[in-house]
Every structure is written in C-alpha cells, then in structure tokens.
Amino acid sequence: MHRTLIVARIVPEATDQVAAVFADSDDHSGLPTALGVRGRSLFRFGDLYMHLVESEQPLPEAVAAHRDDPRFRRISRDLNPFISPYSPDSWREPGDAMAHEFYRWERHA
C-alpha cells in the first residue's frame, strides 16, 4: 500500500463543496479504480488542505499517466475555485503538491 499526502490551500468555507466533488468522482467516475486508489481522506487546518491518498501503486506515476483523462480534468476544473497551490511560484504539475515522506513507523503484530 502506498500513501501520498497532497498539500495545498483551501477556501476554508468550501469543505462541503470539495468533499462533494470527490464523493461524486469516487462513487460514479471510475477514476479511483483507474488510478489504483483504495482510500482517501481530506483534512483542513485553517486554509491548509491535506489530501491523503492510499493506493495500490505510487500515485505520482498514476496521476502523470492520467493527467489528460477527462475525468481527471473535470475534478481539477471543479476544485479550481476552492483549492490553490500551497506555493504558487513553484507549482507546475500535480506532483509539485505531493509531500515527501521522510519517516514511517508501523507496529507489526
């Protein structure tokens, strides 16, 4: 299982709209299956947006392969009024919003 954390800015009052965009896509588009997504959690802290994705394969490669998919473009368009890059001066592509994991610990039974 791969985990990816996407970090951006959110209009704080827009959490319901953002959740609705993902709920519609998750339930009806088939895009999560195409990307290998197994789970998603959205978080907000002030105007900070955090999007945790659990996937079967590394997400950066899956997103790069589907960037031109109309379903991916639709989500991006629908989120555009509410989500913006954390660092707009350095943002060029979705991978620029993905945090880099530098430590992980898991309890083993």
Side-chain angles (χ1 to χ4, degrees):
M1 177 74 68
H2 297 270
R3 291 185 287 191
T4 303
L5 182 65
I6 299 166
V7 180
R9 301 276 180 201
I10 187 171
V11 174
E13 302 80 24
T15 55
D16 290 343
Q17 293 95 323
V18 171
V21 168
F22 280 107
D24 181 56
S25 174
D26 292 341
D27 292 340
H28 305 294
S29 75
L31 185 60
T33 301
L35 293 172
V37 173
R38 303 211 44 204
R40 165 187 337 277
S41 297
L42 304 177
F43 300 87
R44 182 186 68 82
F45 183 77
D47 72 340
L48 197 59
Y49 163 84
M50 291 154 283
H51 180 165
L52 178 64
V53 180
E54 296 172 308
S55 59
E56 299 164 353
Q57 59 196 26
L59 192 63
E61 291 86 355
V63 168
H66 288 85
R67 281 185 66 176
D68 294 326
D69 186 315
R71 299 170 295 183
F72 188 82
R73 289 188 175 274
R74 178 177 171 224
I75 290 172
S76 297
R77 181 194 69 226
D78 292 350
L79 292 174
N80 193 46
F82 314 116
I83 305 293
S84 59
Y86 176 79
S87 183
D89 294 337
S90 63
W91 194 91
R92 296 172 312 281
E93 61 182 50
D96 293 335
M98 295 178 188
H100 300 279
E101 182 178 53
F102 62 93
Y103 176 79
R104 177 188 276 183
W105 177 87
E106 294 182 20
R107 183 175 60 92
H108 297 285

